């Protein structure tokens, strides 16, 4: 009997001891786990704060860089404003009264060759277009602008003042197909010629100079017929047909 009682006591003690150990270990684990959750939570908040601060700094730096990158074109020896050799003519940057395409003869000849190749390749696709207007002197542009002023309100949105037309460089091409009704008006955008140019002109160094929806930037209405030769280095960057030279160069 004594042995039986002794065994019972030892067994009971062992059970109590084991249970106590489990309780201590469990409590330690819970405490440890709870502590880790707090630490992880704190770390996450810190990381989140760092990321937000970093994003803010990146955005600020990006904005500052954009401001720094804004360029003011400089005049070359022939009297044309340019950026890295690309002639810039818009409402702010103009040409001297006596400036002609002879002052950029090399580019003029290059543009001529590029257009002739583009025209021939278009004919292979059974698309034909021709030049309606290309070079216009200061005097001709002056006459044309005065005519627009008499006929239209907001004439400056349709016609450049003398000295501020790309046509004076000979690098701007007003194009049309066989239908005279689509010449130099928005009807041209519904032609197969326009569709072909929209998809292919960049391959030859031409860009749509005044895209749709960019009047606030260019100052001119959408002109689907007006293409400008800039060379393939730039035209491939602008092949989407929706980016202006002003946006591309970030001109002030």
């Amino acid at each position: 009997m004594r042995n039986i009682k002794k065994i019972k006591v030892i067994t009971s003690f062992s059970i109590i001891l084991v249970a106590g150990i489990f309780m201590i270990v469990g409590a330690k684990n819970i405490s440890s786990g709870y502590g880790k959750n707090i630490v992880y939570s704190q770390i996450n908040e810190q990381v989140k704060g760092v990321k937000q601060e970093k994003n803010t700094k990146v955005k600020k730096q990006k904005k500052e860089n954009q401001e720094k990158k804004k360029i003011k074109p400089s005049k070359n020896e022939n009297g044309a404003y340019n950026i890295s050799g690309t002639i810039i003519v818009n409402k702010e940057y103009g040409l001297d009264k006596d400036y002609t395409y002879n002052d950029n003869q090399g580019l003029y000849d290059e543009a001529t060759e590029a257009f002739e190749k583009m025209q021939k390749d278009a004919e292979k696709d059974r698309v034909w277009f021709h030049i309606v207007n290309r070079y216009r002197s200061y005097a001709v542009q002056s006459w044309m602008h005065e005519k627009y002023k008499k006929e239209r309100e907001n004439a400056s949105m349709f016609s450049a003042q003398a000295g501020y037309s790309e046509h004076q460089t000979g690098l701007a091409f007003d194009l049309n197909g066989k239908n005279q009704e689509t010449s130099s008006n928005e009807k041209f955008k519904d032609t197969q010629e326009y569709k072909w140019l929209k998809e292919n002109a960049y391959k030859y160094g031409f860009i749509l100079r005044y895209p749709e929806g960019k009047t606030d930037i260019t100052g001119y209405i959408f002109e689907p017929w007006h293409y400008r030769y800039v060379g393939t280095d730039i035209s491939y960057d602008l092949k989407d047909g929706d980016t202006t030279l002003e946006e591309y160069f970030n001109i002030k």
Side-chain angles (χ1 to χ4, degrees):
M1 290 293 292
R2 288 182 180 179
N3 290 337
I4 293 172
K5 287 182 180 180
K6 190 174 181 180
I7 291 170
K8 287 182 178 180
V9 171
I10 292 172
T11 301
S12 298
F13 179 75
S14 297
I15 292 170
I16 294 170
L17 181 62
V18 171
I21 291 172
F22 273 111
M23 288 177 67
I24 293 170
V25 172
K28 186 177 180 180
N29 287 338
I30 292 171
S31 176
S32 177
Y34 181 69
K36 285 181 180 178
N37 287 336
I38 292 174
V39 172
Y40 288 152
S41 177
Q42 290 172 343
I43 290 174
N44 287 336
E45 288 300 318
Q46 290 174 358
V47 169
K48 185 178 179 181
V50 170
K51 284 183 177 179
Q52 288 177 341
E53 185 178 354
K54 186 177 180 181
N55 288 337
T56 302
K57 287 182 178 179
V58 169
K59 288 179 181 179
K60 185 178 179 181
Q61 188 64 49
K62 187 176 180 181
K63 186 176 180 181
E64 289 176 355
N65 289 341
Q66 287 176 339
E67 290 297 323
K68 288 178 182 177
K69 285 180 181 178
K70 282 191 174 181
I71 299 170
K72 183 176 182 179
S74 58
K75 270 197 172 183
N76 62 21
E77 59 183 5
N78 293 323
Y81 285 98
N82 75 101
I83 298 174
S84 302
T86 299
I87 296 176
I88 303 297
V89 181
N90 58 20
K91 286 185 176 293
E92 185 172 354
Y93 299 103
L95 301 163
D96 295 335
K97 190 173 183 178
D98 57 350
Y99 191 96
T100 73
Y101 68 88
N102 291 318
D103 291 300
N104 52 256
Q105 187 69 53
L107 278 172
Y108 182 89
D109 293 340
E110 188 179 304
T112 300
E113 185 178 345
F115 176 78
E116 289 174 352
K117 186 177 188 315
M118 180 171 71
Q119 192 179 43
K120 287 179 181 178
D121 288 348
E123 287 177 8
K124 293 175 184 177
D125 293 332
R126 297 183 179 181
V127 175
W128 185 85
F129 45 78
H130 66 285
I131 300 171
V132 176
N133 276 299
R134 184 178 178 183
Y135 171 70
R136 288 203 295 264
S137 67
Y138 182 98
V140 171
Q141 187 64 35
S142 179
W143 171 82
M144 182 175 287
H145 186 66
E146 288 302 314
K147 186 172 181 291
Y148 266 92
K149 283 170 65 176
K150 293 176 182 178
E151 296 175 352
R152 295 173 180 263
E153 294 182 5
N154 300 321
S156 61
M157 293 176 62
F158 300 88
S159 171
Q161 293 183 23
Y164 294 86
S165 170
E166 287 189 324
H167 286 286
Q168 195 176 335
T169 66
L171 301 176
F173 293 66
D174 288 345
L175 306 178
N176 191 37
K178 295 179 180 180
N179 186 354
Q180 291 303 309
E181 291 184 3
T182 63
S183 181
S184 299
N185 62 59
E186 282 200 29
K187 291 180 181 179
F188 185 65
K189 72 177 181 180
D190 298 319
T191 66
Q192 62 176 346
E193 290 85 8
Y194 173 71
K195 183 179 179 182
W196 191 94
L197 288 164
K198 182 86 169 170
E199 295 175 354
N200 297 283
Y202 74 90
K203 300 173 185 176
Y204 306 87
F206 291 89
I207 63 169
L208 179 64
R209 184 62 178 94
Y210 306 122
E212 196 166 11
K214 295 300 177 79
T215 300
D216 60 325
I217 296 172
T218 65
Y220 296 104
I221 62 167
F222 169 44
E223 294 190 357
W225 63 88
H226 185 119
Y227 279 80
R228 161 72 194 273
Y229 182 76
V230 292
T232 52
D233 286 346
I234 295 175
S235 65
Y236 268 77
D237 289 340
L238 304 182
K239 66 181 181 180
D240 62 2
D242 297 319
T243 305
T244 66
L245 275 183
E246 286 78 11
E247 291 171 300
Y248 181 73
F249 284 117
N250 204 15
I251 300 171
K252 285 185 178 180

